[in-house]
């Protein structure tokens, strides 16, 4: 009888590949995209430039940036049938189900979906980076029974998303906030949805199939869905003075507080720090009473969770905790948060597909069998 091996449930701590796209330092709370700290990119770059960096491994020259951005901006509109399916699903489906379905349809417009030439893959990824924000915005419009708003060519990808969603051109501050959220959500090594994308890509399925796998995976509340769940919790708390009681009771009931904890970060998620600082800056811009209330709840929850579980269990705020209140500064509804995560993370998913196909290997782990063997088959009449 062979010895039972050590089993790493959830592949915890298992290295499955080498990659030069991003590094997550969980002990020190640091994150780099292609060697650049996420703080430096958040402060000095923009989403289009970060997409170029992730896909190509270097910052673009002005000419490269202009050509890349123009390509993205020219592909943002949606085919009629895609708008139709979003309209059909909007009254009864969660926006993440619409994102998954509408994105999957895009393969119909690609006359060579299985072409895996590097340039062809990059081109498909650029199309998806351009179209996913429009699918998210159209989903938000149709859910509110409003008309589709075509893209505005004078706006960046993140600002155009906000314009297509709200019908209003974003203010300078809103443009900075939405660009920040697109940059911070763009890439994070082999998180569950990126790994799901790679498992699908490793079978040599096409980019659309791999992306659809990623969207399905990102939906879960343990992953991308935590931002919406964290806001729901803050709304359930309602009055900031209820915060401590609510959290204590939830923890006593062995509930997980959404927006806290991380498989890799065992200290403060550097992205959460940035979101929190911009959320506090929004206080200087006459925020709504709702945002003020949410921020008070969030800061009290943060203090309690860090005091109780920070140093003892390495459970700290992650990117999803302060995201909700910041999206509310822009008037975005909770169910739209994870679709924004999808629209941004397409840059990371696409970069990993491009990199992985340079040295493809089918992903196929093993499991330790605990069942019986060689049982005698008993015909149904004798059971
Ligand atoms: C994202 O991986 C990435 O990079 C993801 C991401 C990205 O950019 O792609 O960073 C984005 O998904 C961030 C995480 C969003 N998810 C949440 O906020 C959901 C709440 N968090 C958790 O459920 C949890 O922290 C996970 C799932 C994120 C990570 O959990 P692990 O590493 O699998 O650890 P675990 O679930 O085994 O928990 C270990 C202990 C348990 O207690 P014990 O059974 O040991 O007593 O910590 C506890 C857990 O109950 N715990 C929590 C908690 N998270 C873990 N307790 C209360 N609240 C929490 N949030």
């Amino acid at each position: 009888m062979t010895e039972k091996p050590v089993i790493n449930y959830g592949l915890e701590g298992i290295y499955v590949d080498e990659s030069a796209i991003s590094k997550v330092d969980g002990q020190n709370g640091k994150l780099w995209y292609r060697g650049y700290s996420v703080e430096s990119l958040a402060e000095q770059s923009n989403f289009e430039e970060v997409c170029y960096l992730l896909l190509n491994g270097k910052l673009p020259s002005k000419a490269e940036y202009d050509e890349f951005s123009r390509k993205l901006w020219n592909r943002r509109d949606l085919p009629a049938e895609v708008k139709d399916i979003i309209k059909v699903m909007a009254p009864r489906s969660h926006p993440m189900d619409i994102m998954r379905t509408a994105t999957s349809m895009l393969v119909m417009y690609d006359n060579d979906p299985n072409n895996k030439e590097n340039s062809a893959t990059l081109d498909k990824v650029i199309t998806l980076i351009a179209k996913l924000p429009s699918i998210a915005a159209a989903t938000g419009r149709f859910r509110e029974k409003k008309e589709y708003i075509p893209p505005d060519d004078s706006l960046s990808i993140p600002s155009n998303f906000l314009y297509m969603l709200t019908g209003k051109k974003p203010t300078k501050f809103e443009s900075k906030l939405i660009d920040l959220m697109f940059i911070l959500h763009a890439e994070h090594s082999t998180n569950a949805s990126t790994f799901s994308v790679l498992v699908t890509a490793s079978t040599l399925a096409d980019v659309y199939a791999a992306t659809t796998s990623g969207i399905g995976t990102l939906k879960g509340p343990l992953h991308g869905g935590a931002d919406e769940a964290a806001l729901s919790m803050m709304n359930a708390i309602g009055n900031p003075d209820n915060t401590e009681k609510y959290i204590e009771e939830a923890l006593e009931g062995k509930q997980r507080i959404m927006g806290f904890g991380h498989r890799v970060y065992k200290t403060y998620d550097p992205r959460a720090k940035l979101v929190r600082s911009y959320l506090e800056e929004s206080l200087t811009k006459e925020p709504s009473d709702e945002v003020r209330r949410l921020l008070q709840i969030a800061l009290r929850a943060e203090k309690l969770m860090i005091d109780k579980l920070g140093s003892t269990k390495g459970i700290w705020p992650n990117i999803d905790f302060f995201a909700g209140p910041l999206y509310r500064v822009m008037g975005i509804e909770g169910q739209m948060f994870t679709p924004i995560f999808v629209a941004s993370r397409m840059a990371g998913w696409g970069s990993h597909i491009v990199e992985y196909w340079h040295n493809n290997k089918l992903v196929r782990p093993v499991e330790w069998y605990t069942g019986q063997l060689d049982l005698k088959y008993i015909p149904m009449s004798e059971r």
Side-chain angles (χ1 to χ4, degrees), residues 185-245:
H185 284 89
E187 158 64 13
H188 212 243
S189 79
T190 40
N191 56 84
S193 53
T194 299
F195 185 62
S196 180
V197 165
L198 287 181
V199 170
T200 306
S202 80
T203 70
L204 298 185
D206 60 76
V207 172
Y208 305 91
T211 302
T212 306
S213 298
I215 299 173
T217 307
L218 191 68
K219 179 181 179 185
L222 293 188
H223 187 15
D227 47 17
E228 178 185 351
L231 182 77
S232 301
M233 177 189 75
M234 293 177 201
N235 286 329
I237 290 172
N239 179 325
D241 291 338
N242 297 337
T243 304
E244 289 74 13
K245 182 171 177 295

Side-chain angles (χ1 to χ4, degrees), residues 22 24 31 33 186-191 262 265 269 271 345:
S22 68
V24 181
L31 171 61
Y33 292 172
E187 158 64 13
H188 212 243
S189 79
T190 40
N191 56 84
H262 198 277
Y265 289 123
D269 182 333
R271 303 166 297 176
R345 187 54 58 90

Side-chain angles (χ1 to χ4, degrees), residues 19-23 31-36 38 41 45-60 68 122 125 129 182-189 343-355 358:
S19 173
I21 299 173
S22 68
K23 176 171 177 55
L31 171 61
W32 295 267
Y33 292 172
R34 297 284 191 183
Y36 295 89
V38 74
L41 295 171
S45 186
N46 65 45
F47 180 62
E48 281 83 347
E49 186 176 68
V50 165
C51 290
Y52 185 98
L53 172 66
L54 290 171
L55 283 167
N56 297 287
K58 70 179 186 72
L59 288 173
F68 182 76
L122 278 168
V125 169
I129 293 173
F182 268 69
I183 290 173
L184 295 182
H185 284 89
E187 158 64 13
H188 212 243
S189 79
S344 160
R345 187 54 58 90
M346 185 62 230
W349 291 339
S351 306
H352 281 276
I353 293 173
V354 169
E355 182 184 62
H358 287 151

Side-chain angles (χ1 to χ4, degrees), residues 29 31-32 35 66 106 129 134 136 228 252 267 274 332 367 375:
L31 171 61
W32 295 267
D66 290 344
L106 293 176
I129 293 173
S134 302
E228 178 185 351
E252 266 144 44
T267 184
L274 284 162
I332 298 171
E367 60 184 0
L375 296 174

